[in-house]
Amino acid sequence: MMERATIDILPECLIEKIVSYLSFEDAAKMSILSKTWLRSWFTHPNIEFTYPYSGRNLELMDAIMNRYRDEKISIDKFELSYSFYSQVSQPIDKWFYIALQNGVKYVFFKGLDYSWSIFTILTAKSLTELVLECCTLMPISFSSGVTNCNSLRKLSLTRVKLDEDMLQTLLNCCPLIVSFIFDQCWGLEKIELLNLGKIKSISIKTRRRDQLVKIQTPTLEHLTYDGCLLGKLDIVEYQNLKSLDISHMKISDGFLQNIISALKDLKIQFCKGEEEIDSSNLESLEYTGYKIPKLKVARQLKHLIFNHYCSGSLKAAWFYNLRKFLSNSTSCPQVSLWFSQCNEINLTDLQLHHGVATPKVDVLNVDCTWRNGECPTFLDALLWSCHPRRLNILSTSATFKCFINRLIYMKNIYMKNLCQYSPWHGQLELKGAQVYIFDDNTSESWHSVELNREELSPDMPFYGEYSFLLDW
């Protein structure tokens, strides 16, 4: 009774505020608490329906929409997920019409192969964001004319079927959009985004390897592009482009040189082609791939994230290139490296390279898939290339013990002050370390162990996660 009384004394305006932050389904559950909570759910501004359900649920959904229509209750957000083939177009069309009449601002629709006229939705003067998934916009007739939707600011199409004419007509009737997402849509030979006068952000992921994408939007500031391995991207005007995120494409000669002067943030993932990046004007670089890129640097980057997949055996030059690459940034929050094998490294070759200071890394993630025992020179070379504050490894227990042995060795260098006779030792001195082992069989998954061999359990899992906090 005390809980019920406490709920009832809340002001109605506060209950309405609380309900407005809840999902439509959660608000429905809360409606059993009192009549005030029920009234608040009845006027919830955000409607979320998922279909299919039984015919009774379809009737319930229809009754809810009829109540919003009859009582003229405002609708801010209308979301409908429709995930199987069925002839229920009539109630869906009616629900959209009610949402439009009640001032809807955001519409999300996911319908498996459902075909409907998008231009009916775009007649809404209040609509600011439209998100469509898994539906078709073809065939459609333009004979009745198309009305501009000057209120729309964000348009997102994911796995939608349409052709080039439909895309151009759609973009032309939404002249004020600032954000456009085009994700794995089909039915087009090419994608052209031309003369979008207000666009600021574009994200494109193609379905076909050879699909051409041409962008000519002088106001564009942020571009994300995934080319499905060998996509073709042509950017005609880019004077306001600040950030570029490209994945799975072949970078043609001169592509980056042509646009790099305007960029501040660059992200490259699994691209082929150009290996040198002019980072003179960049502030942030995130690189994921199979090579260590060369940087043409006039100033240090403020932010660098590096994810690298290493295949085959490595030589000392690889670790020097890694060290040189990471030294180009004043802040390096994360480096992730995947090694398929380890091998002995000629440390004498590394001793020849002392011109670059050891870069500091916040987090170094190392995924070791080799199973051929210890490689102490390999680990020495890795920790020579950068000094991480936190070192996370995913490896066999044998490799983990090898890390432990090398860290104990480095700590002893510091304690015995051996670095005075060898520049190489000075590169590896370690003040202290905390060691953590992940164990999903305990209530506290991460537990600490001392940095010594005696603390290591002989029955450690063959493959596991380990973490070190290092003080250099």
Side-chain angles (χ1 to χ4, degrees):
M1 293 297 295
M2 288 296 294
E3 292 182 2
R4 184 63 177 265
T6 303
I7 291 173
D8 284 340
I9 65 173
L10 291 176
E12 186 168 356
C13 60
L14 179 57
I15 292 176
E16 291 177 353
K17 189 70 172 179
I18 293 172
V19 169
S20 69
Y21 286 105
L22 300 176
S23 68
F24 191 71
E25 183 178 353
D26 289 339
K29 294 176 181 177
M30 298 294 286
S31 66
I32 65 172
L33 296 176
S34 70
K35 292 182 179 180
T36 305
W37 287 87
L38 179 61
R39 284 196 301 271
S40 297
W41 174 61
F42 277 169
T43 59
H44 197 289
N46 303 327
I47 301 176
E48 304 161 21
F49 288 154
T50 300
Y51 190 80
Y53 289 114
S54 65
R56 181 179 177 183
N57 287 97
L58 184 62
E59 294 172 1
L60 176 60
M61 292 158 63
D62 197 47
I64 291 172
M65 292 306 297
N66 288 338
R67 179 170 50 79
Y68 272 80
R69 177 197 60 197
D70 297 340
E71 299 181 19
K72 294 182 173 57
I73 301 170
S74 295
I75 300 175
D76 291 338
K77 181 185 292 187
F78 182 68
E79 300 186 22
L80 175 60
S81 297
Y82 163 72
S83 55
F84 85 126
Y85 296 95
S86 180
Q87 300 298 322
V88 292
S89 60
Q90 187 173 0
I92 290 178
D93 293 342
K94 186 183 78 171
W95 299 342
F96 274 117
Y97 179 77
I98 294 172
L100 299 179
Q101 293 299 307
N102 290 35
V104 68
K105 298 179 178 66
Y106 171 94
V107 168
F108 169 86
F109 178 68
K110 180 178 181 180
L112 183 60
D113 204 34
Y114 183 77
S115 178
W116 51 288
S117 175
I118 188 176
F119 299 110
T120 301
I121 298 294
L122 295 178
T123 59
K125 299 184 182 300
S126 58
L127 187 64
T128 60
E129 184 170 357
L130 176 61
V131 180
L132 301 180
E133 291 187 11
C134 303
C135 58
T136 177
L137 303 182
M138 299 170 55
I140 190 169
S141 172
F142 303 114
S143 59
S144 58
V146 176
T147 303
N148 279 2
C149 183
N150 292 320
S151 61
L152 195 70
R153 296 295 181 268
K154 297 180 179 180
L155 176 62
S156 176
L157 307 177
T158 300
R159 295 185 294 278
V160 172
K161 182 181 179 182
L162 72 168
D163 59 15
E164 287 89 347
D165 290 339
M166 181 65 198
L167 176 61
Q168 293 307 316
T169 303
L170 183 57
L171 293 175
N172 289 339
C173 73
C174 303
L176 301 181
I177 59 171
V178 297
S179 175
F180 180 54
I181 297 174
F182 196 79
D183 186 356
Q184 302 180 80
C185 295
W186 53 294
L188 305 91
E189 292 294 324
K190 59 183 178 179
I191 302 169
E192 291 187 339
L193 307 179
L194 310 176
N195 302 318
L196 303 179
K198 299 293 183 179
I199 199 76
K200 300 291 185 183
S201 175
I202 292 176
S203 177
I204 296 177
K205 184 175 182 179
T206 62
R207 288 174 59 98
R208 292 170 36 189
R209 298 178 60 177
D210 59 344
Q211 194 166 36
L212 173 64
V213 175
K214 183 177 181 179
I215 299 175
Q216 185 176 1
T217 54
T219 59
L220 184 64
E221 296 180 1
H222 310 284
L223 174 61
T224 299
Y225 172 75
D226 187 333
C228 189
L229 298 181
L230 292 174
K232 303 174 183 178
L233 176 63
D234 182 15
I235 308 176
V236 178
E237 295 186 64
Y238 42 80
Q239 57 265 37
N240 289 302
L241 192 64
K242 295 181 175 64
S243 70
L244 177 65
D245 180 346
I246 52 176
S247 307
H248 305 103
M249 66 170 284
K250 184 176 182 180
I251 302 176
S252 59
D253 293 340
F255 174 80
L256 285 180
Q257 284 84 348
N258 291 336
I259 63 175
I260 200 74
S261 60
L263 291 178
K264 297 299 180 185
D265 304 308
L266 176 61
K267 184 176 181 179
I268 299 176
Q269 300 182 82
F270 300 111
C271 292
K272 296 182 178 181
E274 199 162 352
E275 298 181 6
E276 184 177 51
I277 301 171
D278 184 353
S279 60
S280 302
N281 294 314
L282 290 178
E283 295 180 357
S284 173
L285 172 63
E286 182 172 343
Y287 185 91
T288 300
Y290 299 100
K291 296 182 179 179
I292 301 176
K294 297 178 182 179
L295 295 185
K296 181 180 178 182
V297 181
R299 63 176 183 178
Q300 281 193 313
L301 295 161
K302 294 181 179 179
H303 187 83
L304 173 63
I305 293 179
F306 181 58
N307 305 302
H308 183 63
Y309 292 78
C310 313
S311 59
S313 60
L314 301 175
K315 296 182 179 180
W318 184 91
F319 294 95
Y320 171 70
N321 290 335
L322 176 63
R323 177 171 170 147
K324 183 178 179 181
F325 175 74
L326 297 179
S327 67
N328 290 309
S329 176
T330 57
S331 173
C332 192
Q334 180 172 297
V335 173
S336 298
L337 303 173
W338 286 261
F339 296 105
S340 59
Q341 68 182 67
C342 75
N343 52 276
E344 295 298 328
I345 304 299
N346 187 341
L347 300 182
T348 304
D349 291 345
L350 287 183
Q351 296 180 40
L352 302 176
H353 302 290
H354 293 295
V356 179
T358 307
K360 305 293 183 182
V361 173
D362 292 340
V363 178
L364 173 60
N365 299 311
V366 178
D367 190 333
C368 314
T369 59
W370 68 74
R371 302 186 180 185
N372 56 343
E374 296 188 3
C375 294
T377 58
F378 185 94
L379 300 180
D380 283 352
L382 177 62
L383 295 175
W384 172 87
S385 63
C386 67
H387 284 175
R389 295 179 177 88
R390 185 183 186 108
L391 170 62
N392 300 322
I393 67 171
L394 182 64
S395 72
T396 63
S397 56
T399 301
F400 168 66
K401 292 175 181 178
C402 184
F403 270 88
I404 287 285
N405 291 336
R406 299 317 291 169
L407 292 176
I408 292 173
Y409 168 74
M410 295 174 191
K411 187 176 180 181
N412 288 338
I413 291 176
Y414 175 76
M415 298 299 293
K416 296 178 181 178
N417 199 23
L418 295 178
C419 60
Q420 59 186 343
Y421 80 88
S422 171
W424 170 254
H425 287 151
Q427 301 280 324
L428 295 176
E429 65 174 52
L430 180 68
K431 295 179 181 178
Q434 294 176 291
V435 187
Y436 297 87
I437 299 177
F438 184 82
D439 185 356
D440 56 8
N441 295 320
T442 62
S443 57
E444 295 184 3
S445 298
W446 288 97
H447 65 275
S448 61
V449 298
E450 293 296 326
L451 187 62
N452 60 63
R453 299 176 184 89
E454 289 73 19
E455 284 287 323
L456 300 180
S457 171
D459 58 350
M460 292 175 61
F462 177 76
Y463 202 78
E465 297 178 59
Y466 312 96
S467 184
F468 303 87
L469 298 181
L470 306 179
D471 182 15
W472 296 93

